[in-house]
Amino acid sequence: MMWALAIIAGIIAILAVAGVVKDAIDLNHAIKARAERDQEWRVHELRVIADHETRHHTETEEQ
């Protein structure tokens, strides 16, 4: 009977460790995805600024 409880406790421990590992992997993926979105947003912002500067420079030359 004790061996059955030991097996059940072992299975529960393995499942707990697997859950922690899965959470760590999911967190890592979320961090990477956030970094990629932040990088894409920075590129977009720089494009908008560059377009604005170009438009402003062109308008200034025309005057």
Side-chain angles (χ1 to χ4, degrees), residues 33-52:
R34 173 73 186 263
E36 288 176 10
R37 284 193 308 270
D38 287 350
Q39 178 65 25
E40 290 169 0
W41 181 250
R42 278 187 231 112
V43 168
H44 170 72
E45 286 180 322
L46 292 174
R47 261 193 220 117
V48 169
I49 291 169
D51 289 347
H52 177 75

Side-chain angles (χ1 to χ4, degrees), residues 1-29:
M1 183 66 174
M2 288 298 273
W3 59 269
L5 291 176
I7 290 174
I8 291 170
I11 291 171
I12 291 171
I14 290 170
L15 292 174
V17 169
V20 170
V21 169
K22 183 184 180 309
D23 288 346
I25 292 170
D26 290 346
L27 179 60
N28 188 35
H29 286 146

